[in-house]
């Protein structure tokens, strides 16, 4: 009998822009980079299986498109950040699906996190 459990896989994507913009407006800003942290629910028998499945799903979600400035935007999977087994037996309202601890210097305020 298999022991399938629910896991959350946290993935990090990076948005990479290629090409020169054809036109620019007051909203155009190339001084920053954009990342996305995405959390997926997966069913797997083990932490290792959940990690592999999350990575596979993350790679399958990579995509490219042209933005309004005619640059090619490529969303690429950077890495699997975390894999977290859900402790609740069933998914329902209020089920915690992801949490993490954040270590910060004592003098840090919440605005620094």
């Amino acid at each position: 009998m298999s022991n399938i459990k629910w896991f959350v896989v946290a993935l990090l994507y990076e948005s990479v822009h290629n090409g020169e913009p054809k036109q620019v407006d007051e909203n155009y800003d190339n001084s920053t980079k954009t990342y996305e942290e995405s959390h997926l629910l997966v069913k797997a028998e083990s932490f290792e299986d959940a990690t592999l499945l999350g990575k596979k799903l993350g790679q399958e979600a990579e995509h490219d498109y042209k933005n309004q400035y005619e640059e090619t935007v490529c969303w690429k999977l950077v890495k699997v950040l975390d894999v977290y087994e859900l402790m609740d037996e069933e998914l329902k309202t209020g089920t915690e699906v992801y949490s993490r601890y954040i270590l910060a210097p004592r003098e840090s305020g919440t605005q620094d996190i």
Side-chain angles (χ1 to χ4, degrees):
M1 184 170 182
S2 67
N3 190 17
I4 302 289
K5 300 173 269 198
W6 282 107
F7 292 85
V8 175
V9 180
L11 304 174
L12 180 67
Y13 293 93
E14 180 180 9
S15 175
V16 178
H17 293 228
N18 297 310
E20 291 298 319
K22 298 264 193 261
Q23 78 269 348
V24 234
D25 59 24
E26 67 276 358
N27 297 315
Y28 183 79
D29 180 8
N30 66 351
S31 66
T32 61
K33 294 175 86 175
T34 303
Y35 295 90
E36 177 186 8
E37 184 174 339
S38 176
H39 299 210
L40 306 178
L41 281 174
V42 300
K43 276 188 168 181
E45 290 187 11
S46 68
F47 174 86
E48 292 79 15
D49 289 346
T51 302
L52 290 172
L53 179 55
K55 183 176 181 180
K56 178 180 182 273
L57 292 170
Q59 290 169 332
E60 289 173 357
E62 293 179 335
H63 63 284
D64 303 347
Y65 61 89
K66 290 275 191 191
N67 67 11
Q68 69 267 31
Y69 306 109
E70 296 298 317
E71 297 170 305
T72 300
V73 178
C74 306
W75 280 97
K76 300 294 180 193
L77 178 67
V78 175
K79 66 179 178 177
V80 174
L81 294 172
D82 198 3
V83 177
Y84 180 91
E85 182 182 342
L86 295 181
M87 294 297 132
D88 289 352
E89 295 287 323
E90 73 176 74
L91 298 178
K92 60 188 179 306
T93 298
T95 298
E96 181 177 84
V97 295
Y98 189 77
S99 69
R100 65 181 174 145
Y101 295 100
I102 301 169
L103 299 176
R106 289 194 181 277
E107 58 276 359
S108 297
T110 54
Q111 73 278 4
D112 300 320
I113 305 300

